[in-house]
């Protein structure tokens, strides 16, 4: 098993993510190998381990921010990161369960610069593979032998319920023209922030943290998660496809009621009214998509979203300090948070 001991020198956020990935991947692969062959084939493709024929590839596996948060949270409360490895594997499995389903529901054909799993294997196999990853996550926690495993299972289940509720709201918003900004923020709190919060809480729990430390680190993760969603929604409109792995204006083309879109639509400005008219069009041309992005900017929603992300990151840091973490883990958690919410992530 890969050595997860901390190096003596300070690491950058990217070095932390590489360290986490190297430590978690062997256990993640071992867990996925327990799946039935049909589920394993789709899951391994989605993780970037092999192509559709099962041949090994060097595809982008994603940043694995959630496992890194779990391992660092364990260290932050004075625990050994190795004890939090099952938690790290579990949150990565849950995250990828959600991505497999999300790609199907959004109709996205590209993720991490390659065709999505459903586009290669079909909708039903991708859905079933996602289901398999979710059940596997619970099995990994249950089989960890950790004295807090039962509590951890409830944490995972609660975060998944919030994630599903957020995803349900996100889909419902596409059919509604009257989405309020408070509703949209609440959707993001469930769809994205809940699992990042659970990642930190689970790591702290497995690391032997006090209840107040667990809760402060959960809040840290949730605030980072919401800030991440604000930034990710901005990238879904203006992001470089070479960085995001998705086509330009992909969220606008899918008529997503993302945070900046809803902020623009509810801004009571001329730009809001024109954007509303565009979003109600039967078909959006490339010129329409570019104009929609321009209108969001003109409404002030782009600047507002950037400001909210900054405020949330500041709030997250307050919770991190309140958790009384070990010094090095605090610096590295903060570094990962800054990377996750960077404008070019």
């Amino acid at each position: 098993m890969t050595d997860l001991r901390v190096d003596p020198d300070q690491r950058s956020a990217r070095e932390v993510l590489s360290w986490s990935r190297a430590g978690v991947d062997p256990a993640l692969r071992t867990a996925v190998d327990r799946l039935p062959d049909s589920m394993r084939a789709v899951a391994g493709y989605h993780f970037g381990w092999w192509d559709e024929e099962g041949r090994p590839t060097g595809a982008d596996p994603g940043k694995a921010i959630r496992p890194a948060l779990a391992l660092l949270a364990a260290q932050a409360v004075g625990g050994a990161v190795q004890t939090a490895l099952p938690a790290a594997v579990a949150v990565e499995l849950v995250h990828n369960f959600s991505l497999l389903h999300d790609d199907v529901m959004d109709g996205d054909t590209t993720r991490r610069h390659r065709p999505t799993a459903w586009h290669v294997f079909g909708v039903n196999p991708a859905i079933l593979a996602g289901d398999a990853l979710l059940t596997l996550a619970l099995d990994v926690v249950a089989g960890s032998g950790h004295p807090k495993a039962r509590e951890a299972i409830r944490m995972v289940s609660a975060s998944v319920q919030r994630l599903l509720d957020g995803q349900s709201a996100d889909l419902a918003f596409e059919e509604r023209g009257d989405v309020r900004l408070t509703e949209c923020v609440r959707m993001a709190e469930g769809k994205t922030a809940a699992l990042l919060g659970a990642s930190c809480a689970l790591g702290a729990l497995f690391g032997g943290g006090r209840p107040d430390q667990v809760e402060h680190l959960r809040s840290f993760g949730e605030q980072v998660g919401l800030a991440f969603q604000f930034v990710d929604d901005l990238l879904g409109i203006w992001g470089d496809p070479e960085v995001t792995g998705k086509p330009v204006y992909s969220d606008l083309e899918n008529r997503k009621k993302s945070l900046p879109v809803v902020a623009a639509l509810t801004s009571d400005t001329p730009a809001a009214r024109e954007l509303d008219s565009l979003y109600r069009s039967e078909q959006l041309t490339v010129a329409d998509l570019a104009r929609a992005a321009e209108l969001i900017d003109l409404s002030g929603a782009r600047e507002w979203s950037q400001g909210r992300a900054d405020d949330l990151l500041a709030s997250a840091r307050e919770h991190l300090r309140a958790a009384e973490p070990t010094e090095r883990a605090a610096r590295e958690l903060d570094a990962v948070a800054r990377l996750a919410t960077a404008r070019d992530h």
Side-chain angles (χ1 to χ4, degrees):
M1 183 175 291
T2 301
D3 189 358
L4 284 168
R5 289 176 297 180
V6 180
D7 295 331
D9 299 321
Q10 179 65 32
R11 300 170 297 183
S12 69
R14 294 193 184 280
E15 288 171 335
V16 168
L17 294 181
S18 295
W19 161 80
S20 170
R21 171 64 76 190
V24 169
D25 260 9
L28 184 63
R29 286 175 179 262
T30 297
V32 171
D33 279 345
R34 301 206 303 266
L35 294 176
D37 288 345
S38 57
M39 307 295 108
R40 179 179 172 275
V42 180
Y45 172 86
H46 171 77
F47 279 116
W49 298 338
W50 49 70
D51 65 14
E52 61 270 26
E53 301 297 332
R55 296 175 295 229
T57 66
D60 179 8
K63 295 184 183 68
I65 287 174
R66 291 154 190 82
L69 290 175
L71 297 177
L72 289 175
Q75 185 190 358
V77 299
V81 291
Q82 198 72 37
T83 66
L85 189 57
V89 170
V91 296
E92 183 70 346
L93 289 168
V94 170
H95 176 55
N96 283 279
F97 137 74
S98 73
L99 294 182
L100 280 163
H101 284 201
D102 199 40
D103 286 341
V104 169
M105 288 183 279
D106 289 345
D108 286 337
T109 58
T110 304
R111 178 174 291 282
R112 298 169 183 159
H113 311 285
R114 68 202 298 240
T116 49
W118 76 263
H119 196 60
V120 173
F121 296 94
V123 168
N124 292 336
I127 291 173
L128 292 172
D131 294 341
L133 293 186
L134 177 57
T135 58
L136 184 60
L138 296 171
D139 185 61
V140 166
V141 176
S144 67
H146 195 282
K148 296 286 187 178
R150 183 173 181 178
E151 184 177 349
I153 289 173
R154 294 182 66 87
M155 278 189 180
V156 173
S157 297
S159 69
V160 170
Q161 293 295 342
R162 289 182 62 194
L163 185 157
L164 296 176
D165 187 48
Q167 182 65 49
S168 176
D170 192 25
L171 292 171
F173 291 170
E174 294 178 26
E175 308 299 324
R176 288 175 49 193
D178 60 343
V179 178
R180 298 188 301 275
L181 190 53
T182 53
E183 289 182 291
C184 195
V185 171
R186 188 164 60 249
M187 175 273 292
E189 288 173 344
K191 182 180 176 182
T192 303
L195 185 56
L196 269 83
S199 299
C200 293
L202 284 163
L205 184 72
F206 271 61
R210 305 186 309 266
D212 64 298
Q213 289 180 305
V214 172
E215 289 310 308
H216 276 301
L217 285 167
R218 181 200 302 278
S219 296
F220 164 77
E222 289 187 352
Q223 298 287 283
V224 170
L226 189 52
F228 169 87
Q229 190 61 62
F230 270 101
V231 172
D232 202 53
D233 283 354
L234 290 168
L235 292 174
I237 300 172
W238 292 283
D240 181 352
E242 291 298 316
V243 176
T244 65
K246 291 187 177 184
V248 67
Y249 305 141
S250 60
D251 282 0
L252 299 180
E253 188 172 12
N254 291 327
R255 316 296 176 97
K256 296 286 289 185
K257 295 293 192 340
S258 64
L259 289 159
V261 168
V262 174
L265 288 170
T266 58
S267 64
D268 194 25
T269 61
R273 291 184 282 277
E274 186 179 343
L275 180 64
D276 181 65
S277 178
L278 276 177
Y279 252 52
R280 293 176 187 273
S281 302
E282 288 189 12
Q283 187 172 2
L284 293 173
T285 65
V286 173
D288 290 335
L289 294 172
R291 178 57 177 167
E294 183 181 19
L295 291 168
I296 294 167
D297 199 357
L298 290 171
S299 74
R302 184 179 188 176
E303 183 180 1
W304 175 81
S305 296
Q306 291 169 340
R308 283 293 293 133
D310 292 340
D311 291 343
L312 286 160
L313 185 56
S315 176
R317 286 171 171 152
E318 290 297 323
H319 282 289
L320 180 57
R321 282 191 286 270
E324 300 177 342
T326 59
E327 183 178 350
R328 177 167 179 156
R331 290 197 303 268
E332 294 185 344
L333 281 166
D334 182 70
V336 171
R338 284 186 282 109
L339 178 66
T341 56
R343 304 285 192 263
D344 59 352
H345 75 249

